[in-house]
Coordinates of all heavy atoms in Angstrom, one line a residue:
M51 N 0.8 -1.2 0.0 CA 0.0 0.0 0.0 C 0.9 1.3 0.0 O 0.4 2.3 -0.5 CB -0.9 0.0 1.2 CG -2.0 -1.1 1.2 SD -3.2 -0.9 -0.1 CE -4.3 0.3 0.5
D52 N 2.1 1.2 0.5 CA 2.9 2.3 0.6 C 3.2 2.9 -0.9 O 3.3 4.1 -1.1 CB 4.3 2.0 1.3 CG 4.1 2.0 2.8 OD1 3.2 2.6 3.3 OD2 5.0 1.4 3.4
R53 N 3.4 2.0 -1.8 CA 3.6 2.4 -3.2 C 2.4 3.2 -3.7 O 2.5 4.2 -4.4 CB 3.9 1.3 -4.1 CG 5.2 0.7 -3.9 CD 5.5 -0.4 -4.9 NE 6.8 -1.0 -4.8 CZ 7.2 -2.0 -5.5 NH1 6.5 -2.5 -6.4 NH2 8.4 -2.5 -5.3
L54 N 1.2 2.7 -3.4 CA 0.0 3.4 -3.8 C -0.1 4.8 -3.1 O -0.4 5.8 -3.8 CB -1.3 2.6 -3.4 CG -2.6 3.2 -3.6 CD1 -2.9 3.4 -5.1 CD2 -3.7 2.4 -3.0
Y55 N 0.2 4.8 -1.8 CA 0.2 6.1 -1.1 C 1.2 7.1 -1.7 O 0.9 8.3 -1.8 CB 0.4 5.9 0.4 CG -0.6 5.0 1.1 CD1 -0.2 4.3 2.3 CD2 -1.9 4.9 0.7 CE1 -1.1 3.6 3.0 CE2 -2.8 4.1 1.4 CZ -2.4 3.5 2.6 OH -3.3 2.7 3.3
D56 N 2.4 6.6 -2.0 CA 3.4 7.4 -2.6 C 3.0 8.0 -3.9 O 3.2 9.1 -4.2 CB 4.7 6.6 -2.8 CG 5.4 6.3 -1.4 OD1 5.2 7.0 -0.4 OD2 6.3 5.4 -1.4
A57 N 2.4 7.1 -4.8 CA 2.0 7.5 -6.1 C 1.0 8.6 -6.1 O 1.1 9.6 -6.7 CB 1.5 6.3 -6.9
N58 N -0.1 8.4 -5.3 CA -1.1 9.4 -5.1 C -0.6 10.6 -4.4 O -0.9 11.8 -4.8 CB -2.3 8.8 -4.4 CG -3.2 7.9 -5.2 OD1 -3.3 8.0 -6.4 ND2 -3.8 6.9 -4.5
G59 N 0.1 10.4 -3.3 CA 0.6 11.5 -2.5 C 1.5 12.4 -3.2 O 1.5 13.6 -2.9
E60 N 2.4 11.9 -4.1 CA 3.3 12.8 -4.8 C 2.5 13.8 -5.6 O 2.9 15.0 -5.6 CB 4.2 11.9 -5.7 CG 5.2 12.7 -6.5 CD 6.0 11.8 -7.4 OE1 6.3 10.6 -7.0 OE2 6.4 12.3 -8.5
M61 N 1.4 13.4 -6.2 CA 0.6 14.3 -7.0 C -0.1 15.3 -6.1 O -0.3 16.4 -6.5 CB -0.3 13.5 -7.9 CG 0.4 12.8 -9.1 SD -0.8 12.0 -10.2 CE -0.8 10.4 -9.6
L62 N -0.6 14.8 -5.0 CA -1.2 15.7 -4.0 C -0.3 16.8 -3.6 O -0.7 18.0 -3.5 CB -1.8 14.9 -2.8 CG -2.9 13.9 -3.1 CD1 -3.2 13.2 -1.8 CD2 -4.1 14.6 -3.6
L63 N 1.0 16.5 -3.4 CA 2.0 17.5 -3.0 C 2.2 18.5 -4.1 O 2.6 19.6 -3.8 CB 3.3 16.8 -2.5 CG 3.2 16.1 -1.2 CD1 4.5 15.3 -1.0 CD2 2.9 17.0 -0.1
E64 N 2.0 18.1 -5.3 CA 2.2 19.0 -6.5 C 1.0 19.8 -6.7 O 0.9 20.5 -7.7 CB 2.6 18.1 -7.7 CG 3.9 17.5 -7.6 CD 4.3 16.5 -8.7 OE1 3.4 16.3 -9.6 OE2 5.4 16.0 -8.7
G65 N -0.1 19.6 -5.9 CA -1.3 20.4 -6.0 C -2.4 19.8 -6.8 O -3.5 20.4 -7.0
A66 N -2.3 18.5 -7.1 CA -3.4 17.8 -7.8 C -4.5 17.6 -6.9 O -4.4 17.4 -5.7 CB -2.9 16.5 -8.4
E67 N -5.7 17.6 -7.4 CA -6.9 17.1 -6.7 C -6.8 15.6 -6.5 O -6.3 14.9 -7.4 CB -8.2 17.5 -7.4 CG -8.4 19.0 -7.5 CD -8.7 19.7 -6.2 OE1 -9.4 19.0 -5.3 OE2 -8.2 20.8 -6.0
F68 N -7.3 15.1 -5.4 CA -7.2 13.7 -5.1 C -7.9 12.9 -6.2 O -7.3 11.9 -6.6 CB -7.9 13.4 -3.7 CG -8.0 11.9 -3.5 CD1 -6.9 11.1 -3.2 CD2 -9.2 11.2 -3.7 CE1 -7.0 9.8 -3.1 CE2 -9.3 9.9 -3.6 CZ -8.2 9.1 -3.2
E69 N -9.1 13.2 -6.7 CA -9.7 12.4 -7.7 C -8.9 12.3 -8.9 O -8.9 11.2 -9.6 CB -11.1 12.9 -7.9 CG -12.1 12.7 -6.8 CD -13.5 13.2 -7.1 OE1 -13.9 13.3 -8.2 OE2 -14.2 13.4 -6.1
N70 N -8.3 13.4 -9.3 CA -7.4 13.3 -10.5 C -6.2 12.4 -10.3 O -5.8 11.6 -11.2 CB -7.0 14.7 -10.9 CG -8.1 15.6 -11.4 OD1 -9.2 15.1 -11.9 ND2 -8.0 16.9 -11.4
A71 N -5.6 12.6 -9.2 CA -4.4 11.8 -8.8 C -4.8 10.3 -8.8 O -4.1 9.4 -9.4 CB -3.8 12.2 -7.5
Y72 N -5.9 10.0 -8.2 CA -6.3 8.6 -8.1 C -6.6 8.0 -9.4 O -6.2 6.9 -9.8 CB -7.6 8.6 -7.2 CG -8.3 7.3 -7.2 CD1 -7.9 6.1 -6.5 CD2 -9.5 7.1 -8.0 CE1 -8.6 5.0 -6.6 CE2 -10.2 6.0 -8.1 CZ -9.7 4.9 -7.4 OH -10.4 3.7 -7.4
S73 N -7.3 8.8 -10.3 CA -7.7 8.3 -11.6 C -6.4 8.0 -12.4 O -6.4 7.0 -13.2 CB -8.5 9.4 -12.3 OG -9.8 9.5 -11.7
L74 N -5.4 8.9 -12.3 CA -4.2 8.7 -13.1 C -3.5 7.4 -12.7 O -2.9 6.7 -13.5 CB -3.3 9.9 -13.0 CG -3.8 11.1 -13.7 CD1 -2.9 12.3 -13.3 CD2 -3.8 10.9 -15.2
V75 N -3.4 7.2 -11.4 CA -2.7 6.0 -10.8 C -3.4 4.8 -11.3 O -2.8 3.8 -11.7 CB -2.6 6.1 -9.3 CG1 -2.1 4.8 -8.7 CG2 -1.6 7.2 -8.9
I76 N -4.8 4.7 -11.2 CA -5.5 3.6 -11.6 C -5.4 3.3 -13.1 O -5.2 2.2 -13.5 CB -7.0 3.7 -11.1 CG1 -7.1 3.7 -9.6 CG2 -7.9 2.6 -11.7 CD1 -6.6 2.5 -8.9
A77 N -5.5 4.4 -13.9 CA -5.4 4.2 -15.3 C -4.0 3.7 -15.7 O -3.9 3.0 -16.7 CB -5.7 5.6 -16.0
A78 N -3.0 4.1 -15.0 CA -1.6 3.7 -15.3 C -1.4 2.2 -15.1 O -0.5 1.6 -15.7 CB -0.6 4.5 -14.5
G79 N -2.2 1.6 -14.2 CA -2.1 0.2 -14.0 C -0.9 -0.1 -13.1 O -0.5 0.8 -12.3
G80 N -0.3 -1.2 -13.1 CA 0.9 -1.6 -12.3 C 0.5 -2.0 -10.9 O -0.7 -2.2 -10.6
I81 N 1.5 -2.1 -10.1 CA 1.3 -2.6 -8.7 C 0.5 -1.7 -7.9 O -0.3 -2.2 -7.1 CB 2.7 -2.9 -8.1 CG1 2.5 -3.8 -6.8 CG2 3.4 -1.7 -7.7 CD1 3.7 -4.4 -6.3
Q82 N 0.6 -0.4 -8.1 CA -0.2 0.5 -7.3 C -1.7 0.3 -7.5 O -2.5 0.2 -6.6 CB 0.1 2.0 -7.6 CG 1.5 2.3 -7.2 CD 2.5 2.0 -8.3 OE1 2.3 1.4 -9.2 NE2 3.7 2.6 -8.1
S83 N -2.1 0.2 -8.8 CA -3.5 0.0 -9.2 C -4.0 -1.4 -8.7 O -5.1 -1.5 -8.1 CB -3.6 0.1 -10.7 OG -4.9 -0.1 -11.1
T84 N -3.3 -2.4 -9.0 CA -3.7 -3.8 -8.6 C -3.8 -4.0 -7.1 O -4.7 -4.7 -6.6 CB -2.9 -4.9 -9.2 OG1 -1.5 -4.7 -8.9 CG2 -3.0 -4.9 -10.8
T85 N -2.9 -3.3 -6.4 CA -2.9 -3.4 -4.9 C -4.2 -2.8 -4.4 O -4.9 -3.4 -3.5 CB -1.7 -2.6 -4.3 OG1 -0.6 -3.3 -4.7 CG2 -1.8 -2.6 -2.8
W86 N -4.6 -1.6 -4.9 CA -5.8 -1.0 -4.5 C -7.1 -1.8 -4.8 O -7.9 -2.0 -4.0 CB -5.9 0.4 -5.1 CG -7.2 1.1 -4.7 CD1 -8.2 1.5 -5.5 CD2 -7.6 1.5 -3.4 NE1 -9.2 2.1 -4.8 CE2 -8.9 2.1 -3.5 CE3 -7.1 1.4 -2.1 CZ2 -9.6 2.6 -2.4 CZ3 -7.8 1.9 -1.0 CH2 -9.0 2.5 -1.2
I87 N -7.1 -2.3 -6.0 CA -8.3 -3.1 -6.4 C -8.4 -4.3 -5.6 O -9.5 -4.7 -5.1 CB -8.2 -3.4 -7.9 CG1 -8.4 -2.1 -8.7 CG2 -9.3 -4.4 -8.3 CD1 -8.0 -2.2 -10.2
R88 N -7.3 -5.0 -5.4 CA -7.3 -6.2 -4.5 C -7.8 -5.9 -3.1 O -8.6 -6.6 -2.5 CB -5.9 -6.9 -4.5 CG -5.9 -8.2 -3.9 CD -4.5 -8.9 -3.9 NE -3.9 -8.8 -5.2 CZ -2.7 -8.1 -5.4 NH1 -2.1 -7.5 -4.5 NH2 -2.2 -8.1 -6.6
F89 N -7.3 -4.8 -2.6 CA -7.7 -4.4 -1.2 C -9.2 -4.1 -1.1 O -9.8 -4.6 -0.2 CB -6.9 -3.1 -0.8 CG -7.4 -2.5 0.4 CD1 -7.0 -3.0 1.7 CD2 -8.2 -1.4 0.4 CE1 -7.4 -2.4 2.8 CE2 -8.6 -0.8 1.6 CZ -8.2 -1.3 2.8
C90 N -9.7 -3.4 -2.1 CA -11.2 -3.1 -2.1 C -12.0 -4.4 -2.2 O -13.0 -4.5 -1.5 CB -11.5 -2.2 -3.3 SG -10.9 -0.5 -3.1
V91 N -11.6 -5.3 -3.1 CA -12.4 -6.5 -3.2 C -12.3 -7.3 -2.0 O -13.3 -7.8 -1.5 CB -11.8 -7.3 -4.4 CG1 -12.4 -8.7 -4.5 CG2 -12.1 -6.6 -5.7
Q92 N -11.1 -7.5 -1.4 CA -11.0 -8.3 -0.1 C -11.8 -7.6 1.0 O -12.5 -8.4 1.8 CB -9.5 -8.4 0.3 CG -8.8 -9.3 -0.6 CD -7.3 -9.4 -0.3 OE1 -6.8 -8.5 0.5 NE2 -6.6 -10.3 -0.9
C93 N -11.8 -6.3 1.1 CA -12.6 -5.7 2.2 C -14.1 -5.8 1.9 O -14.8 -6.1 2.9 CB -12.2 -4.2 2.3 SG -10.6 -3.9 2.9
A94 N -14.5 -5.5 0.7 CA -15.9 -5.6 0.4 C -16.5 -6.9 0.6 O -17.7 -7.0 1.1 CB -16.1 -5.1 -1.0
T95 N -15.8 -8.0 0.4 CA -16.4 -9.3 0.6 C -16.5 -9.7 2.1 O -17.2 -10.7 2.4 CB -15.5 -10.4 -0.1 OG1 -14.2 -10.4 0.5 CG2 -15.4 -10.2 -1.6
R96 N -16.0 -8.9 3.0 CA -16.1 -9.1 4.4 C -17.4 -8.6 5.0 O -17.8 -8.9 6.1 CB -14.9 -8.6 5.2 CG -13.7 -9.3 4.8 CD -12.5 -8.7 5.5 NE -11.3 -9.3 5.1 CZ -10.1 -9.0 5.5 NH1 -9.9 -8.0 6.3 NH2 -9.0 -9.6 5.0
F97 N -18.1 -7.7 4.2 CA -19.3 -7.1 4.7 C -20.6 -7.7 4.1 O -20.5 -8.2 3.0 CB -19.3 -5.6 4.4 CG -18.2 -4.8 5.0 CD1 -17.1 -4.5 4.3 CD2 -18.3 -4.4 6.3 CE1 -16.0 -3.8 4.8 CE2 -17.2 -3.7 6.9 CZ -16.1 -3.4 6.1
D98 N -21.6 -7.7 4.9 CA -22.9 -8.2 4.3 C -23.4 -7.2 3.3 O -23.9 -7.5 2.2 CB -24.0 -8.3 5.4 CG -23.7 -9.5 6.3 OD1 -23.1 -10.4 5.9 OD2 -24.1 -9.4 7.5
E99 N -23.2 -5.9 3.5 CA -23.4 -4.8 2.6 C -22.1 -4.0 2.4 O -21.7 -3.3 3.3 CB -24.5 -3.9 3.1 CG -25.9 -4.5 3.1 CD -27.0 -3.5 3.4 OE1 -26.8 -2.3 3.0 OE2 -27.9 -3.8 4.1
P100 N -21.5 -4.2 1.2 CA -20.2 -3.5 1.0 C -20.4 -2.0 1.1 O -21.4 -1.5 0.6 CB -19.8 -4.0 -0.4 CG -20.6 -5.2 -0.6 CD -21.9 -5.1 0.1
P101 N -19.4 -1.3 1.5 CA -19.4 0.1 1.6 C -19.4 0.7 0.1 O -19.0 0.0 -0.8 CB -18.1 0.5 2.2 CG -17.6 -0.7 2.9 CD -18.2 -1.9 2.1
E102 N -19.9 1.9 0.0 CA -19.9 2.6 -1.3 C -18.5 2.9 -1.7 O -17.6 3.0 -0.8 CB -20.7 3.9 -1.1 CG -22.2 3.7 -0.8 CD -22.9 3.1 -2.0 OE1 -22.6 3.5 -3.2 OE2 -23.8 2.3 -1.8
E103 N -18.2 3.0 -3.0 CA -16.9 3.3 -3.5 C -16.4 4.6 -2.9 O -15.2 4.8 -2.5 CB -16.9 3.4 -5.0 CG -15.6 3.8 -5.6 CD -15.6 3.9 -7.1 OE1 -16.7 4.0 -7.7 OE2 -14.5 4.0 -7.6
S104 N -17.3 5.6 -2.7 CA -16.9 6.9 -2.1 C -16.3 6.8 -0.7 O -15.4 7.5 -0.3 CB -18.1 7.9 -2.1 OG -19.1 7.4 -1.3
E105 N -16.8 5.8 0.0 CA -16.3 5.5 1.4 C -14.8 5.0 1.3 O -14.0 5.4 2.1 CB -17.2 4.6 2.2 CG -18.5 5.2 2.5 CD -19.4 4.2 3.2 OE1 -18.9 3.5 4.1 OE2 -20.6 4.2 2.9
F106 N -14.6 4.1 0.4 CA -13.2 3.6 0.2 C -12.3 4.7 -0.2 O -11.2 4.8 0.3 CB -13.2 2.5 -0.9 CG -13.6 1.1 -0.4 CD1 -14.8 0.5 -0.8 CD2 -12.7 0.4 0.4 CE1 -15.1 -0.7 -0.4 CE2 -13.1 -0.9 0.9 CZ -14.3 -1.4 0.5
L107 N -12.8 5.5 -1.2 CA -11.9 6.6 -1.7 C -11.7 7.7 -0.6 O -10.6 8.3 -0.5 CB -12.6 7.3 -2.9 CG -12.6 6.3 -4.1 CD1 -13.3 7.1 -5.3 CD2 -11.2 5.9 -4.5
S108 N -12.6 7.9 0.3 CA -12.4 8.9 1.3 C -11.3 8.4 2.3 O -10.4 9.2 2.7 CB -13.7 9.1 2.1 OG -13.6 9.9 3.2
V109 N -11.3 7.1 2.6 CA -10.3 6.6 3.5 C -8.9 6.6 2.8 O -7.9 7.0 3.3 CB -10.7 5.1 3.9 CG1 -9.5 4.5 4.6 CG2 -11.9 5.2 4.8
L110 N -8.9 6.3 1.5 CA -7.7 6.3 0.7 C -7.1 7.7 0.7 O -5.9 7.9 0.9 CB -7.9 5.8 -0.7 CG -6.7 5.9 -1.6 CD1 -5.5 5.0 -1.1 CD2 -7.1 5.4 -3.1
E111 N -7.9 8.7 0.4 CA -7.5 10.1 0.4 C -6.8 10.5 1.7 O -5.8 11.1 1.8 CB -8.6 11.0 0.0 CG -8.1 12.5 0.0 CD -9.2 13.5 -0.5 OE1 -10.3 13.1 -0.6 OE2 -8.8 14.6 -0.6
E112 N -7.5 10.1 2.8 CA -7.0 10.5 4.2 C -5.6 9.8 4.4 O -4.7 10.5 4.8 CB -8.0 10.0 5.2 CG -7.5 10.3 6.6 CD -8.5 9.7 7.7 OE1 -9.7 9.5 7.4 OE2 -8.1 9.6 8.8
F113 N -5.5 8.5 4.0 CA -4.2 7.9 4.2 C -3.1 8.4 3.3 O -2.0 8.5 3.7 CB -4.3 6.4 4.1 CG -4.8 5.7 5.3 CD1 -6.1 5.5 5.6 CD2 -3.9 5.1 6.2 CE1 -6.6 4.9 6.8 CE2 -4.3 4.5 7.4 CZ -5.6 4.4 7.7
N114 N -3.5 8.8 2.1 CA -2.5 9.4 1.2 C -2.0 10.7 1.7 O -0.8 10.9 1.7 CB -3.1 9.7 -0.2 CG -3.4 8.4 -1.0 OD1 -3.9 8.5 -2.1 ND2 -3.1 7.3 -0.5
R115 N -2.9 11.5 2.2 CA -2.5 12.8 2.7 C -1.6 12.7 4.0 O -0.6 13.3 4.2 CB -3.7 13.7 3.0 CG -4.4 14.1 1.7 CD -5.5 15.1 2.0 NE -6.2 15.5 0.8 CZ -5.7 16.3 -0.2 NH1 -4.5 16.9 0.0 NH2 -6.4 16.6 -1.3
K116 N -2.0 11.7 4.9 CA -1.2 11.5 6.1 C 0.2 10.9 5.7 O 1.2 11.3 6.3 CB -1.9 10.5 7.0 CG -3.0 11.1 7.8 CD -3.7 10.1 8.7 CE -4.8 10.7 9.4 NZ -5.5 9.7 10.3
H117 N 0.2 10.1 4.7 CA 1.5 9.4 4.3 C 2.5 10.4 3.8 O 3.7 10.2 4.1 CB 1.2 8.4 3.2 CG 2.3 7.5 2.9 ND1 2.8 6.5 3.6 CD2 3.1 7.5 1.8 CE1 3.8 5.9 3.1 NE2 4.1 6.5 1.9
V118 N 2.1 11.4 3.1 CA 3.0 12.4 2.5 C 3.0 13.7 3.3 O 3.7 14.6 2.9 CB 2.8 12.6 1.0 CG1 3.0 11.4 0.2 CG2 1.4 13.2 0.8
G119 N 2.3 13.8 4.3 CA 2.2 15.0 5.1 C 1.5 16.2 4.4 O 1.8 17.4 4.6
A120 N 0.6 15.9 3.6 CA -0.2 16.9 2.8 C -1.4 17.4 3.7 O -1.9 16.8 4.4 CB -0.6 16.4 1.5

């Protein structure tokens, strides 16, 4: 997950909006993207009613900002 946080966080530090940074990282593919998708799928299957995507993204944004000190 650190690679994902680094990839998103670097763009946040450069002034990008979270949604744009996230979209670019996911579109680029690679380990950052697959890590996030795997994490969401594993988490969602643990709930009777999976959280909305916006809830996952809110948590991701918070961790990205904390990770890079933004």
Side-chain angles (χ1 to χ4, degrees):
M51 292 296 281
D52 284 338
R53 287 184 181 178
L54 174 69
Y55 299 154
D56 288 340
N58 285 330
E60 182 179 327
M61 287 185 267
L62 293 175
L63 288 175
E64 294 173 358
E67 293 293 323
F68 171 75
E69 289 183 23
N70 292 337
Y72 167 78
S73 294
L74 289 171
V75 170
I76 295 302
I81 194 166
Q82 295 87 347
S83 178
T84 55
T85 296
W86 176 246
I87 293 166
R88 190 177 315 116
F89 172 78
C90 290
V91 169
Q92 288 175 349
C93 288
T95 59
R96 295 179 182 173
F97 297 101
D98 291 333
E99 288 188 37
E102 295 292 323
E103 180 182 10
S104 61
E105 293 178 43
F106 278 110
L107 292 179
S108 177
V109 171
L110 177 61
E111 181 176 6
E112 179 181 340
F113 275 86
N114 288 181
R115 290 188 183 281
K116 285 180 181 178
H117 188 76
V118 296

